[in-house]
Amino acid sequence: FPVTITAVQATVIAGCMLANVTGSTNSISLYIQNGSEIYYILKGKSVDGGNSFDAITGNKIFLEAGDALKAVAGTEGAFDVVVSILDGI
């Protein structure tokens, strides 16, 4: 199942760490959804077991109310996801 963060007001995503917590390579997709529109930040990225990365290094992503940030792994439970946000901007 996807991990979802839904903005209820204007929000800035300052960081998004994705960590493969398994011992094998797994894939993950990260995207923004608003209604039926989907905007991929990354799609099907393979990450070796035990490795992590910041999906938006050096960037900021702005969400409007109603936007949802979603992370979906190829294997359920394979990733920990930590998101740094600033809301109410």
Side-chain angles (χ1 to χ4, degrees), residues 70-87:
K70 296 188 177 191
V72 180
T75 302
E76 188 173 333
F79 285 85
D80 283 348
V81 179
V82 178
V83 180
S84 299
I85 62 170
L86 302 167
D87 60 359

Side-chain angles (χ1 to χ4, degrees), residues 41-56:
I41 298 164
L42 57 97
K43 186 173 182 179
K45 179 171 177 61
S46 291
V47 181
D48 291 336
N51 286 321
S52 63
F53 70 100
D54 188 345
I56 57 172

Side-chain angles (χ1 to χ4, degrees), residues 5-83:
I5 297 173
T6 303
V8 294
Q9 57 188 340
T11 301
V12 175
I13 300 170
C16 183
M17 292 299 299
L18 305 168
N20 182 344
V21 296
T22 72
S24 59
T25 300
N26 284 285
S27 65
I28 191 161
S29 294
L30 184 68
Y31 59 92
I32 296 169
Q33 184 170 6
N34 187 318
S36 62
E37 298 292 323
I38 294 176
Y39 306 96
Y40 281 94
I41 298 164
L42 57 97
K43 186 173 182 179
K45 179 171 177 61
S46 291
V47 181
D48 291 336
N51 286 321
S52 63
F53 70 100
D54 188 345
I56 57 172
T57 300
N59 296 301
K60 305 288 185 273
I61 296 176
F62 293 85
L63 300 180
E64 297 176 357
D67 287 350
L69 176 69
K70 296 188 177 191
V72 180
T75 302
E76 188 173 333
F79 285 85
D80 283 348
V81 179
V82 178
V83 180

